Amino acid sequence: MQRVHVVDSHTAGEPTRVVLSGGPDLGTGSIEHRLLRFRELHDEFRRSVVQEPRGSGAVVGALVVPPDRPKSTAGVIFFNNAGYLGMCGHGTIGLVATLAHTGQIRPGRHTIETPVGTVEAELHAVGDVSVRNVACRRTRTGVEVEVPGYGPVVGDIAWGGNWFFLSEGAPCDLTLANVEPLTAYTKAIRAALDWGRITGSDGATVDHIEISGPPARAENQSRNFVLCPGGEYDRSPCGTGTSAKVACLMADGRLRDGQVWRQEGILGTVFEVRADRVGDELRPRIRGSAYITGEGDLLFDSRDPFVEGVAP
Ligand code: PYC
């Protein structure tokens, strides 16, 4: 029986499952290289942690690995029901809350290495967390796709630690009651991008779709709905998605260096994202809170026909 020690949390409603021990040994080297080893040699571990019967389509896994550089606090590889993420904003907030819960870190600054770059996290004394994201940028604007059943949709392509297509407006209000039509609409956009071979500037799939509309509360600037790669929607306002949004707003001159964007997600929870430039890079600072929901061991029984999880 293999035992895998995990801590579960949610950040603004979106779950994170941090794997603290019992995961595969990915050796040493950059986190980017260790992600390649994870994907090639241990993908069954990803599936078994986040897919049913242990997980669900909404869960983002976070495998904690020793960092490449001695001064960093940890390395992390994020994954979900469909594969691997570059960065994950809500997941990093969940990771920091988890390391605080287990007593491994105290309030202050912590350097976390991810496959797409190093991020700086700050655990505040009151328990919330800020994360200085990797460098973010808009790479295309005014991209028009013909979406069967919906007509032409225009949006931007931006990198926020993952690739996003971002557009304004939707065929219905951005409310929880409309999750089904919003999921259908954003899946149709993603299929149209694939069909048109529209990718990120590095040729990677644009696997997150973010649509925006008016906020429910006047103190926020916008509400979003974000489709994740595995077909689930982000329950949080999506840290990397809001970073991509901030990159678009800055490129349009609608947000200035140092300004804060309050992004509401589909549950009404909020991330505050500050548009910070560091040198000539845009490194948005995402602020939010996570709550621990569980801690324990996952058990992997080799006789179990579903030991590697079930893809619905
Ligand atoms: O918060 O960056 C994020 C995120 C990505 C996918 C789900 N959440």
Side-chain angles (χ1 to χ4, degrees):
M1 192 80 84
Q2 185 188 349
R3 272 176 194 273
V4 173
H5 193 65
V6 298
V7 171
D8 285 352
S9 62
H10 78 83
T11 307
E14 176 78 349
T16 308
R17 172 165 287 169
V18 176
V19 176
L20 289 170
S21 64
D25 179 359
L26 302 178
T28 56
S30 71
I31 308 302
E32 187 185 359
H33 279 98
R34 280 185 263 178
L35 164 58
L36 296 179
R37 271 179 227 138
F38 193 177
R39 178 182 293 155
E40 277 160 27
L41 304 175
H42 303 286
D43 193 57
E44 76 292 343
F45 183 79
R46 171 188 67 79
R47 298 191 302 270
S48 61
V49 169
V50 291
Q51 285 183 349
E52 293 178 14
R54 295 182 191 83
S56 82
V59 173
V60 170
L63 177 65
V64 179
V65 296
D68 197 21
R69 288 183 298 277
K71 284 198 175 146
S72 302
T73 302
V76 64
I77 300 174
F78 294 110
F79 51 97
N80 62 17
N81 56 340
Y84 299 84
L85 293 163
M87 227 300 276
C88 183
H90 94 268
T92 306
I93 294 169
L95 168 65
V96 170
T98 293
L99 297 178
H101 165 76
T102 55
Q104 287 166 275
I105 63 168
R106 296 173 55 78
R109 295 194 174 189
H110 301 281
T111 301
I112 315 271
E113 298 172 13
T114 82
V116 293
T118 296
V119 300
E120 302 297 332
E122 183 171 359
L123 173 61
H124 300 285
V126 285
D128 61 340
V129 177
S130 295
V131 180
R132 178 165 311 291
N133 199 356
V134 296
C136 299
R137 62 194 188 282
R138 179 169 76 180
T139 56
R140 291 182 65 180
T141 186
V143 177
E144 182 171 315
V145 281
E146 184 61 34
V147 184
Y150 299 94
V153 176
V154 179
D156 291 349
I157 310 269
W159 172 255
N162 297 295
W163 282 109
F164 287 83
F165 177 83
L166 303 100
S167 78
E168 295 281 338
C172 55
D173 290 341
L174 302 188
T175 62
L176 208 46
N178 285 334
V179 156
E180 270 186 35
L182 292 168
T183 302
Y185 175 57
T186 46
K187 280 186 171 173
I189 295 177
R190 195 168 58 201
L193 291 169
D194 284 347
W195 196 81
R197 296 200 165 79
I198 295 167
T199 64
S201 57
D202 56 0
T205 306
V206 178
D207 54 5
H208 291 75
I209 310 296
E210 177 171 353
I211 53 178
S212 303
R217 292 206 314 269
E219 67 265 30
N220 304 326
Q221 273 82 45
S222 157
R223 173 177 276 237
N224 70 14
F225 175 90
V226 178
L227 179 74
C228 296
E232 278 292 333
Y233 64 96
D234 196 334
R235 277 69 170 158
S236 84
C238 194
T240 51
T242 307
S243 300
K245 173 88 181 172
V246 161
C248 297
L249 291 162
M250 286 196 80
D252 284 334
R254 290 169 61 198
L255 201 65
R256 286 191 313 279
D257 195 6
Q259 274 190 311
V260 172
W261 183 261
R262 285 180 55 88
Q263 181 67 58
E264 223 173 72
I266 194 71
L267 299 188
T269 52
V270 172
F271 283 161
E272 281 185 3
V273 180
R274 206 171 68 195
D276 280 352
R277 282 201 182 282
V278 179
D280 56 3
E281 291 181 336
L282 169 64
R283 304 271 316 264
R285 192 167 191 260
I286 309 156
R287 189 166 183 157
S289 303
Y291 299 90
I292 305 300
T293 56
E295 175 170 9
D297 289 345
L298 304 178
L299 300 181
F300 294 9
D301 182 341
S302 56
R303 297 166 307 171
D304 176 355
F306 298 127
V307 68
E308 291 184 8
V310 183

